[in-house]
Structures are given as C-alpha cells and as structure tokens.
Amino acid sequence: MGWDRVIGQERVKHMLASAIASDRVAHAWLFYGPAGSGKRAAALAFAQALQCRERFDGTVCGACPGCHKVPRMVHPDVHILIPHANDAVLQELGARVALLAESPYAVIDYTRRPSLDGAGGASNKQVSYLLGQVQEELRAPMSYRPVEGSWRIAILTHAQSMRTESANAFLKLLEEPGKNTVFILLAERLDQVLPTIMSRCQQVRFTPLDAVEIAEGLEREGLAPPDMAAVLARMADGSYEQARELAMSTELRSSRDFVLDFLRHAFKASGDDMMTRVDELAAQGRESIKFHLLVLLGLIRDLLLFTEAGKDAPIVNLDWQEVLTKFAAGLPHARLDTMAEAVEHTMYMVERNVNQRTALAHLATTLSRSMRGDIQVEAIPRLR
Ligand SMILES: [Zn+2]
C-alpha cells in the first residue's frame, strides 16, 4: 500500500514525500514520462500520503480511513478523470476507475481498452476531455471543501487530450485554485500540454523502468515465475503496464511459437506453403499482426546480440538459448540487420493500413533471402 505500490521511480517518490513533509505541496503538478512508467501509480500514492490522517511527513500509516479509501478508489476527495468519446457509456467510467484498486497499472483508458471485457486491442476512436466533463467532474467537485480528507485531489490521465475549449475552462480552475486543492496532470511528453497549463504546474519527470524493476514487480504480483518475468520485463520496453498485459495474455506464448514457425517456413521458402502462413497471419487482423511482428523483431534482435556476444548477450528470450544457438550455427550467412529492418518496415506499413497480405508476403520473401545471406535483397519498395 502507499508508496510500495509504485515500481521503481525512487527519486520521484522521495521528492513527492519531501514536498508533503516540508509543507510545499504545489496546487498543480504535471507528471510526464513514457506510458507505463508509473505516473498514475505515483499520483495515487501521493494522494494517499496527502489524505493520511495519521502521518504528515509524506509517509502513510496504512490504517486510517484515508489510507484505506484512496487505494481502493473510494475516497470522496480523490477524483480520477479519463478522457472519453462523446458516446462513451458513462456508467462504465466508474468501473474503469475501480480497476485501479486491483493495480494502479491496470489499463483503463478507452484508446487501449475500448471495451471493459476485452483486454488488449486498440481503438482508433478519438477521445478527449469534453467541456461538460471539465465542468461537472472537475470544477464542481474541486470547488467544495474536502468531505473527509485534508485535500481535494483531481488526477487527470492523458492530460494532452484536452481540446481548446476544455483547456481554457481548465486553465481558469488553475488560475484561481481553491484552498487545499491539488491537480495532478499526467502526460507522456511535456510538449503535448499547452504551455499556459504547463507553466502553472510543478513538473515531475518519469523515466522508463529498467527490466530488473519490472521483473521484480511481476514476481511480487505473482503474475509470472522468475524466468518468464525476466523475459516479459525485457519485452516491455520500460513499461510496467505493458509487462502486466503481456503476462496476463495467453497471446504471447502462442505468438512465440507462431513466429518461430513463420521463420522456419520462410527459410524453406516453398511458395504455396509460405503463402498459407502469410494468409494465416494476415487474417488475424491489424493488432494481432502488430503483436506477432513485435515478437518476431524481438527474436531477430536476440539473434543479432547472440551472434555478436554469444551466451552472455543481454537477450530478451532468455529461455530460447537453444533455439538461438541452433539458428546462429545453422545460418552463418544470415543478414540479420536486413531482417530486422524489414520487420520494422512491415510494422510501419501495417500501422498505416496498407494491404497487409502484400506487406507480409514481401516480408516473407525478404526474410527468406536474408536468412540465406542472399546479397541481392531488393530494396524495400513503397507499398500503396
Ligand atoms: Zn493513514
């Protein structure tokens, strides 16, 4: 509970706790840094430390009503806002926020979790903070006296999703802050937030987490055994949110098998058989294709590292030592850098909704030739 739930970010935790201890709590904060680095977790821990009725030095007692209610997302003076689409089912907002009681790293936003029952998968739907939302969910509750805590706290996830109208309304709130109100804005990059808003906030930078911190977190939550936690942590690219999603998905294991099989068939390069694999992959839809390509890229990068540094290489797929050894020995002329570039290019194309089958067929051909060390790998053409 409290600061313990925040993975890594020791510098930030210390700084926020000191702000409370020295009675220098700014009325507006902007936490910025990559997705999954723990901005929301830190904001909630900060809120708990502010609402703790027993401690006033930035720590938490863990037993008072404040300490009990904030992490369970039921404190009447702590508001979490999520940007949403015009037609979002508003009852669902509460259910999304409630997910944070289980873990402050749960994926709750509408872009990455379009529906509550379906995990993963992304949506292209535009979400934003609507003017009404700023007025009803923010201005009204933040202008009363705290109900039972010492502070009124609002946490705005994805603060970059404010359009001009809502941003102006929000700016007014920031300019005339009520007593004992704290706004915590979360954004991935500083330049996503309007300068007029940014300049009124105390800025706190979050850095990507390192793999060891992520692996420890997964083990502590019981989401993965040590060996798998290490693999997932390296795949997660500094994001604990991503690591949790990977750990909870059944997709990863099957994807790793599929990708290895895809490479084997690309190497054999027997026309029809390869196209069957390509069709199989193309039929899975954009998000799934992107996921498989990410896993494939991880495997190729591992091979690159492995051929350069041998067994001590900092590879992602730690449990694939044998696979990598065989691959490196069997294909000494493979052009791994070309293979990695081809996968990255295909990811770029798939993201932009090109004809997926064509892009994947081209990838298979390039992989096939590159594995044989074929010098005549044609330049990757532009696909329409
Ligand atoms: Zn307490």
Side-chain angles (χ1 to χ4, degrees):
M1 290 288 158
W3 297 110
D4 297 349
R5 293 177 94 198
V6 184
I7 312 268
Q9 308 297 359
E10 299 306 325
R11 179 188 55 83
V12 169
K13 286 192 260 187
H14 179 75
M15 199 256 274
L16 294 173
S18 313
I20 298 177
S22 59
D23 201 18
R24 278 200 296 260
V25 178
H27 83 275
W29 299 76
L30 173 57
F31 291 3
Y32 69 98
S37 55
K39 302 183 292 292
R40 206 174 45 213
L44 286 167
F46 187 41
Q48 183 181 341
L50 283 167
Q51 302 292 24
C52 177
R53 291 190 188 175
E54 299 293 327
R55 306 265 178 90
F56 302 93
D57 59 354
T59 62
V60 297
C61 76
C64 72
C67 282
H68 187 78
K69 289 182 179 176
V70 175
R72 288 172 181 78
M73 313 308 298
V74 293
H75 198 292
D77 298 316
V78 179
H79 307 274
I80 310 264
L81 280 78
I82 317 170
H84 52 74
N86 276 325
D87 59 349
V89 182
L90 291 183
Q91 294 90 316
E92 222 199 64
L93 273 170
R96 283 173 185 268
V97 169
L99 283 179
L100 297 178
E102 210 170 291
S103 163
Y105 294 90
V107 175
I108 59 163
D109 61 278
Y110 284 89
T111 318
R112 286 189 52 212
R113 186 185 292 270
S115 84
L116 262 185
D117 3 311
S123 156
N124 287 331
K125 214 170 196 179
Q126 287 294 317
V127 297
S128 62
Y129 280 107
L130 309 170
L131 181 60
Q133 198 181 3
V134 171
Q135 284 165 339
E136 286 154 34
E137 293 175 40
L138 209 54
R139 195 175 66 190
M142 290 300 277
S143 58
Y144 305 131
R145 292 166 58 85
V147 178
E148 56 174 79
S150 313
W151 303 82
R152 279 276 182 194
I153 302 169
I155 300 169
L156 284 82
T157 63
H158 305 272
Q160 69 273 18
S161 309
M162 255 188 263
R163 300 219 181 117
T164 323
E165 222 186 7
S166 339
N168 286 335
F170 179 64
L171 202 53
K172 282 216 178 78
L173 284 177
L174 278 189
E175 284 166 344
E176 299 155 13
K179 218 179 153 221
N180 293 345
T181 53
V182 177
F183 293 96
I184 309 169
L185 282 69
L186 317 180
E188 289 185 19
R189 297 196 321 266
L190 268 187
D191 62 11
Q192 292 173 324
V193 180
L194 280 180
T196 41
I197 290 180
M198 191 175 79
S199 64
R200 284 174 171 80
C201 298
Q202 168 115 25
Q203 295 158 17
V204 183
R205 187 169 69 95
F206 286 67
T207 47
L209 296 170
D210 71 42
V212 175
E213 293 169 330
I214 294 178
E216 280 171 4
L218 290 175
E219 281 181 58
R220 208 170 56 194
E221 276 200 88
L223 289 173
D227 54 342
M228 200 56 199
V231 174
L232 296 166
R234 290 180 182 196
M235 289 187 79
D237 227 5
S239 162
Y240 191 63
E241 224 176 81
Q242 172 82 356
R244 287 186 91 247
E245 289 287 293
L246 286 171
M248 292 188 293
S249 87
T250 47
E251 214 180 350
L252 179 64
R253 275 168 212 277
S254 63
S255 178
R256 296 208 311 163
D257 292 341
F258 182 86
V259 154
L260 203 56
D261 197 52
F262 190 83
L263 264 189
R264 276 197 202 102
H265 280 84
F267 181 65
K268 284 191 216 150
S270 55
D272 289 351
D273 200 21
M274 189 63 236
M275 272 324 283
T276 312
R277 306 280 146 170
V278 166
D279 286 337
E280 221 175 281
L281 184 52
Q284 294 187 30
R286 190 166 69 123
E287 286 310 312
S288 198
I289 297 172
K290 273 162 57 186
F291 187 79
H292 286 309
L293 290 175
L294 194 68
V295 174
L296 176 57
L297 187 60
L299 172 60
I300 296 170
R301 284 192 181 147
D302 273 359
L303 281 165
L304 261 166
L305 288 168
F306 193 80
T307 49
E308 277 166 21
K311 281 197 187 319
D312 297 326
I315 54 171
V316 167
N317 299 283
L318 290 168
D319 53 338
W320 271 5
Q321 289 275 1
E322 203 187 318
V323 172
L324 297 173
T325 310
K326 275 188 188 162
F327 196 111
L331 302 170
H333 304 298
R335 294 161 47 97
L336 295 166
D337 45 354
T338 308
M339 291 166 70
E341 274 167 34
V343 178
E344 280 168 358
H345 181 75
T346 312
M347 288 167 84
Y348 176 88
M349 297 309 251
V350 169
E351 181 69 45
R352 271 146 200 83
N353 282 321
V354 294
N355 182 318
Q356 289 160 354
R357 190 168 178 267
T358 315
L360 292 171
H362 190 81
L363 173 66
T365 314
T366 309
L367 289 177
S368 170
R369 291 184 182 171
S370 308
M371 275 188 277
R372 294 158 192 275
D374 188 341
I375 307 297
Q376 301 302 318
V377 177
E378 62 189 276
I380 300 161
R382 291 188 182 282
L383 298 173
R384 249 175 255 127

